[in-house]
C-alpha cells in the first residue's frame, strides 16, 4: 500500500493524507506500520504524528482535519490521496457522515458516562442489547466487541431523538475514486 501510494502521488502530483486512526499518534511507529521519512520519498504526508498518545482523537476530528487537508492540497493544485487506514474514518469522508462535533459537549459526556457505567455494572452485552431494542439496524452494523461505537450510537439516539441508522447522510462535496488492494 505504501509503495503504491508513493508511486501514485509522484505520478499525479499528489500529497498523502493518512486515513489511519492510530498513525495520528506520536511514538506509535512500530505497531502502526507508520511510514518512515525515507519511505515518503519527498511526498508530503498529512495527519501523521499530530497527537500525543494521551490525547483523544475521534472520527469527527479526522473528518474535519482531512477535509481541511483536502482543500489545502487541492488549492495548491495537487491531488489529495487518502491512503490506508480505518474504514469508519474513510467512510466519514466518502459518505459525508454527520458526526457529533461534540466531544467537549458536557451533555454528550454525561450520556457516554452513563452507558459506560452500565457496561461496567451489567456488561457490554446488556448495553448492546439496549441498542438492539432502540435501533436494530445500527446494532447489526456495529462489529461485535466494539463497545465504543455501540455507546456512540446510543449517545446519538439520546441527543437527537432519532435512531442512529436514520441519521442523515449527505453526498460528499468531494469526488472519490476508491482503490482497494487484494493480496
Amino acid at each position: 500500500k505504501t509503495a503504491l501510494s508513493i508511486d501514485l502521488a509522484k505520478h499525479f502530483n499528489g500529497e498523502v493524507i493518512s486515513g489511519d486512526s492510530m498513525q495520528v499518534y506520536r511514538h506509535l511507529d512500530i505497531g502502526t506500520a507508520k511510514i518512515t521519512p525515507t519511505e515518503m520519498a519527498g511526498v508530503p504526508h498529512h495527519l501523521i504524528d499530530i497527537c500525543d498518545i494521551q490525547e483523544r482523537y475521534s472520527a469527527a476530528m479526522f473528518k474535519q482535519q482531512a477535509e481541511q487537508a483536502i482543500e489545502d492540497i487541492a488549492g495548491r493544485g495537487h491531488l489529495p490521496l487518502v491512503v490506508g487506514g480505518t474504514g469508519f474514518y474513510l467512510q466519514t469522508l466518502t459518505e459525508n457522515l454527520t458526526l457529533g462535533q461534540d466531544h467537549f459537549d458536557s451533555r454528550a459526556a454525561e450520556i457516554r458516562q452513563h452507558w459506560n457505567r452500565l457496561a461496567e455494572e451489567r456488561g457490554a452485552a446488556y448495553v448492546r442489547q439496549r441498542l438492539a431494542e432502540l435501533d436494530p439496524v445500527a446494532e447489526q452494523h456495529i462489529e461485535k466487541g466494539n463497545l465504543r461505537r455501540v455507546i456512540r450510537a446510543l449517545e446519538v439516539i439520546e441527543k437527537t431523538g432519532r435512531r442512529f441508522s436514520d441519521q442523515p447522510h449527505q453526498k460528499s462535496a468531494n469526488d472519490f475514486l476508491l482503490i482497494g488492494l487484494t493480496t
Side-chain angles (χ1 to χ4, degrees):
K1 291 184 295 189
T2 300
L4 179 60
S5 71
I6 297 300
D7 289 347
L8 289 171
K10 286 182 174 183
H11 184 78
F12 292 106
N13 193 26
E15 297 183 29
V16 172
I17 301 166
S18 172
D20 190 286
S21 65
M22 299 308 288
Q23 290 186 10
V24 297
Y25 295 106
R26 294 178 196 94
H27 312 298
L28 289 184
D29 300 346
I30 296 170
T32 61
K34 194 180 296 177
I35 190 169
T36 66
T38 303
E39 291 171 319
M40 289 180 186
V43 173
H45 281 65
H46 306 271
L47 302 187
I48 295 176
D49 289 336
I50 60 171
C51 294
D52 287 322
I53 192 68
Q54 68 273 15
E55 293 178 75
R56 186 171 189 272
Y57 195 79
S58 68
M61 295 167 75
F62 167 78
K63 182 180 184 221
Q64 179 183 28
Q65 292 175 345
E67 285 176 339
Q68 184 63 56
I70 288 168
E71 186 178 313
D72 293 347
I73 292 165
R76 289 191 292 276
H78 295 186
L79 178 68
L81 301 168
V82 182
V83 174
T86 307
F88 185 59
Y89 276 30
L90 302 177
Q91 196 177 9
T92 67
L93 296 174
T94 60
E95 296 181 24
N96 199 23
L97 298 181
T98 304
L99 301 173
Q101 303 292 331
D102 57 7
H103 43 277
F104 299 113
D105 177 347
S106 63
R107 173 77 177 120
E110 288 173 18
I111 294 168
R112 280 192 299 274
Q113 287 172 355
H114 166 76
W115 289 109
N116 276 309
R117 192 170 34 257
L118 282 175
E120 287 177 20
E121 292 170 3
R122 298 185 184 183
Y126 171 80
V127 174
R128 187 172 193 100
Q129 180 57 39
R130 291 292 297 133
L131 177 60
E133 293 165 7
L134 295 169
D135 188 350
V137 173
E139 190 274 333
Q140 286 296 308
H141 285 92
I142 296 174
E143 59 278 355
K144 302 294 183 211
N146 194 336
L147 179 62
R148 186 175 183 174
R149 289 221 31 222
V150 168
I151 289 173
R152 176 63 183 151
L154 289 162
E155 175 190 333
V156 169
I157 292 167
E158 280 193 46
K159 286 195 72 176
T160 67
R162 295 188 320 213
R163 295 183 323 168
F164 184 73
S165 59
D166 291 338
Q167 296 300 310
H169 295 261
Q170 304 164 347
K171 184 170 179 348
S172 175
N174 298 300
D175 290 325
F176 288 91
L177 170 64
L178 297 176
I179 300 172
L181 303 179
T182 60
T183 56

